[in-house]
Amino acid sequence: MASNTAICLWETNRIASGFALLDQLLKDYPISFVKHYRICPGKAFFILIADTDVVQQIEQILRDTKQIQYKTITGVHPDVLSVFQQKQKIPTVSHLGIYECSTTVAVFHLANHLAWHHQVHLLSLQIGIGLCGKSILTIAGSYSDLKTIEMELSERYPKDIVSFANISEPSTELLTLL
């Protein structure tokens, strides 16, 4: 399913520079949505949503900016932003996948990929909760889907996934913690 809307994510360990860049982009481009978060001491994360051609122009600027990690995602799955804004509740979870990512940018990209390409339910996307701004994605899926994802991780995200765990029949208490 294609979309003419894209999301641009960037993370920086130079907060002041990040806000200066945000100001420049707000002045120069028709951005329809902007959100920022401080994800740990000294790091900030920014989300921009605009038409794909605008995001591609912004990507050119980000390529030339030091201290910025960025990704653009075209065809944003609707579940990615909804699970980021609040945890989703699913009546039963037989198999749980938990993915710890080194950056907030990586966790968003992983969530979007899994939502589009695997039969899973996104449960939560938590940003900046570990040291140095690590972020966590929690999903529910079948055992076979989680094993397929596990095999795919090292090829698709060799440096971005810090650790992951697949849990069968998670306890009710565990589910309340996530």
Side-chain angles (χ1 to χ4, degrees), residues 4 12 18 20 32 50 65 77 83 85 121 123 150 155-156 171-172:
N4 62 356
T12 179
S32 61
T65 307
H77 194 283
V83 77
Q85 294 168 351
H121 298 281
L123 299 176
E150 183 178 327
E155 292 175 25
R156 188 174 275 283
S171 69
T172 307

Side-chain angles (χ1 to χ4, degrees), residues 125-139:
L125 195 160
Q126 302 169 42
I127 65 168
I129 62 170
L131 287 175
C132 302
K134 290 181 184 172
S135 298
I136 295 180
L137 172 65
T138 308
I139 66 170

Side-chain angles (χ1 to χ4, degrees), residues 14 20 25 60 85 90 94 100 125 141 178:
R14 303 274 190 248
L25 296 175
Q60 292 297 324
Q85 294 168 351
I90 295 176
S94 60
E100 179 183 355
L125 195 160
L178 300 174

Side-chain angles (χ1 to χ4, degrees), residues 90-95 140 175:
I90 295 176
T92 59
V93 176
S94 60
H95 299 283
L175 293 174

Side-chain angles (χ1 to χ4, degrees), residues 140-158:
S142 70
Y143 178 80
S144 62
D145 279 327
L146 294 181
K147 282 301 187 183
T148 300
I149 292 166
E150 183 178 327
M151 291 186 299
E152 187 178 282
L153 290 177
S154 62
E155 292 175 25
R156 188 174 275 283
Y157 302 97

Side-chain angles (χ1 to χ4, degrees), residues 50-109:
D51 289 340
T52 301
D53 60 335
V54 172
V55 170
Q56 289 170 343
Q57 292 171 29
I58 292 170
E59 189 175 36
Q60 292 297 324
I61 293 169
L62 294 176
R63 278 192 187 115
D64 299 331
T65 307
K66 293 181 181 182
Q67 307 297 329
I68 300 271
Q69 180 190 10
Y70 69 91
K71 282 198 191 270
T72 57
I73 301 173
T74 55
V76 180
H77 194 283
D79 292 349
V80 173
L81 292 177
S82 66
V83 77
F84 174 63
Q85 294 168 351
Q86 70 180 28
K87 295 178 186 178
Q88 300 299 310
K89 294 184 181 182
I90 295 176
T92 59
V93 176
S94 60
H95 299 283
L96 185 68
I98 302 173
Y99 306 91
E100 179 183 355
C101 297
S102 58
T103 65
T104 302
V105 170
V107 82
F108 267 87
H109 192 269

